[in-house]
Amino acid sequence: MKRTQLFPLFILFLICHCIKINSQILTPPLSKLPRINGAKVFGVRPNSPLLFKIAAAGEKPIKYEVKGLPNGLQLNTETGLITGKLSKRGDYLMQVKVSNSLGNAERSLTIKVGDKIALTPPMGWNSWNCWGRDVSKAKVLSSAQAMIDKGLIDHGWNYINVDDAWEGQRAADGTIQTNDSFPDMKGLGDWLHARGLKFGIYTAPGPKTCLGFIGSYQHELQDMTTFAGWGVDYVKSDWCSYSGIFDQEKDTSLAAYKKPYLKMYDAIKVQNRDIYYSVCQYGMREVWKWGESVGANSWRTTGDIEDSWESMHEIGFNQYFMYPYAKPGHWNDPDMLVVGNVGWGKNLHPTRLTPDEQYTHISLWSLLAAPLLLGCDLAALDDFTLSLLTNDEVLDINQDPLGKQARRVYCNRSRYKFHLYAKELEDGSVALGIFNLMNYNLSYNDISLSQMGLKGGMIRDLWRQKDIGVFDDILKVNIPAHGVLLYRITKVDNKK
Ligand code: GLA
């Protein structure tokens, strides 16, 4: 066949491919009208440098205003960056307004000055699930730039976390140094902060990291001080080689599990900036019961996730009993997201989760109030993945200020496995996830809300952003294989 004959076939292939991708997209196209997204509450300690980016989507340019901005804080009206310091404890309520050529939007924002940070789960990116040991400054900057260019930052995504493989040797005075892939950590931190992004880093409480690089053992204070100097906002501390020390010490008490994490926390809390503390020890000794007591803002509850249904659903559907331990400032962490192009090294591949499995993944992690850390190459985001990550009504479930983790309100253990999760929200409404764990469609005509302890009301389909009607009790559903329906039930005020 001649090249010219092949051309129409190629065009046909492209059209079919686009139709296939677009038919899987449920999130409606983004409006050009302004909308304020992301966290409505933000915690900061007295006198810590504050950096809060107002997340707002809509046609650019957008202008930002804040009524009631307290003395000590400044707003950049072009970028929506709030910076400064507050010394007095208390709740500062302000009104944020964003406008563009098509209209404006307003929303309240509360900055809470006190001992708690991370009042909503962190949303951002981490290098591990994509680049693994092949991470470099250039790759991190590329995803950070894409977080801005593709608009993720306008929907509340803001952490950029460097995982393992940045570490070099210690200098003669013990100061930790970077390897050649990260020539200038302070410069990287400054670059991120100037754009409203936060900077995360990885270390270990033991002498080595999981990849065998240098850990912070016996250098905890020195390393946390170095990190603070680089402008680090988030530290992940990964157990791995600490097991050697643990075994040597022959103490298997709970205090022995806590010891290395308390030591690291002592070094974090004396820094002159707020640092999110992510404890990673895979759930040993039911860490969800004591993570808060070692100062953790989140604790990994499981081993490492992979981009397969088996891994994602095994982890995700086994978090339900931890719901009492999640609260503002302290989150159960079922590991990072596996959507987009992942690979843990040089060769990335599109996630092996089907589109419905990805809806399940994002819905479940949102209901669980879990940290949302992307593990894909953001520069290579496709339209489907972008639609999955920019559905504000879904992300609002994760970022709800009440900070409750969903309870599992129904679990059918018979042949037809389907599970229902309900998450109480600040405004009195409830988010309901109806999950089909089978590999074929399931239909039900008789799901009774009252039997699950839920009240009826107006039901909105959050992925499609569409009201589907008022239901007092019985729901009829059809859920695709490994898929989900994510609803918000709002009480109907009959008096109106
Ligand atoms: C462990 C952690 C991962 C990642 C790697 C880095 O496996 O669970 O999330 O941080 O170490 O080596």
Side-chain angles (χ1 to χ4, degrees), residues 128 163-164 202 210-211 236 238 280 282 300 304 335-336:
W128 182 249
D163 208 274
D164 205 352
Y202 169 98
C210 292
L211 283 179
K236 169 173 172 183
D238 196 351
C280 178
Y282 337 114
R300 273 275 296 279
D304 290 14
D335 206 1
M336 299 175 285

Side-chain angles (χ1 to χ4, degrees), residues 66-298:
V66 177
K67 277 191 212 124
L69 194 71
N71 282 340
L73 298 187
Q74 304 86 41
L75 166 76
N76 182 322
T77 56
E78 310 287 316
T79 60
L81 262 188
I82 302 178
T83 51
K85 279 183 189 174
L86 292 170
S87 54
K88 219 166 137 233
R89 290 168 179 268
D91 290 359
Y92 296 78
L93 178 66
M94 45 206 98
Q95 194 64 16
V96 176
K97 183 173 174 189
V98 298
S99 36
N100 65 12
S101 61
L102 300 166
N104 54 60
E106 290 199 32
R107 204 172 81 172
S108 63
L109 166 69
T110 307
I111 294 187
K112 289 175 179 263
V113 183
D115 297 320
K116 288 229 180 279
I117 61 166
L119 300 183
T120 62
M123 288 174 64
W125 177 88
N126 171 294
S127 59
W128 182 249
N129 290 353
C130 41
W131 303 119
R133 93 162 42 231
D134 285 300
V135 65
S136 66
K137 181 182 175 188
K139 285 179 174 137
V140 172
L141 281 177
S142 146
S143 273
Q145 188 65 56
M147 187 176 270
I148 300 166
D149 295 346
K150 307 214 172 195
L152 290 170
I153 192 171
D154 304 331
H155 299 272
W157 300 91
N158 53 31
Y159 278 97
I160 292 288
N161 295 353
V162 179
D163 208 274
D164 205 352
W166 63 267
E167 308 87 342
Q169 300 303 315
R170 289 196 183 277
D173 68 354
T175 306
I176 190 149
Q177 297 182 317
T178 56
N179 60 36
D180 293 344
S181 302
F182 285 88
D184 177 15
M185 280 302 203
K186 165 94 173 62
L188 177 57
D190 290 346
W191 189 97
L192 295 171
H193 292 153
R195 290 155 180 82
L197 297 172
K198 307 249 172 178
F199 179 26
I201 210 165
Y202 169 98
T203 190
K208 297 264 187 250
T209 69
C210 292
L211 283 179
F213 290 92
I214 284 183
S216 290
Y217 184 59
Q218 291 179 335
H219 290 270
E220 293 82 0
L221 182 58
Q222 194 175 25
D223 285 0
M224 297 313 119
T225 308
T226 302
F227 295 170
W230 291 342
V232 162
D233 305 295
Y234 184 118
V235 169
K236 169 173 172 183
S237 177
D238 196 351
W239 176 275
C240 262
S241 77
Y242 193 83
S243 24
I245 299 185
F246 188 80
D247 292 346
Q248 263 169 31
E249 291 184 350
K250 294 195 176 15
D251 177 1
T252 55
S253 68
L254 182 57
Y257 281 90
K258 288 184 175 186
K259 191 168 94 172
Y261 284 108
L262 272 173
K263 194 158 194 190
M264 192 84 85
Y265 180 55
D266 286 344
I268 287 177
K269 71 180 182 211
V270 296
Q271 301 304 325
N272 58 3
R273 57 185 301 109
D274 292 350
I275 299 181
Y276 181 105
Y277 186 27
S278 156
V279 161
C280 178
Q281 49 83 290
Y282 337 114
M284 287 185 290
R285 284 297 287 263
E286 302 179 307
V287 63
W288 45 92
K289 294 190 174 162
W290 51 267
E292 183 179 350
S293 73
V294 297
N297 296 113
S298 59

Side-chain angles (χ1 to χ4, degrees), residues 415-435:
R415 266 178 63 206
Y416 308 107
K417 287 193 198 134
F418 83 109
H419 294 191
L420 275 79
Y421 282 70
K423 182 182 198 288
E424 285 171 58
L425 304 169
E426 195 200 25
D427 68 354
S429 63
V430 170
L432 179 66
I434 309 178
F435 295 93

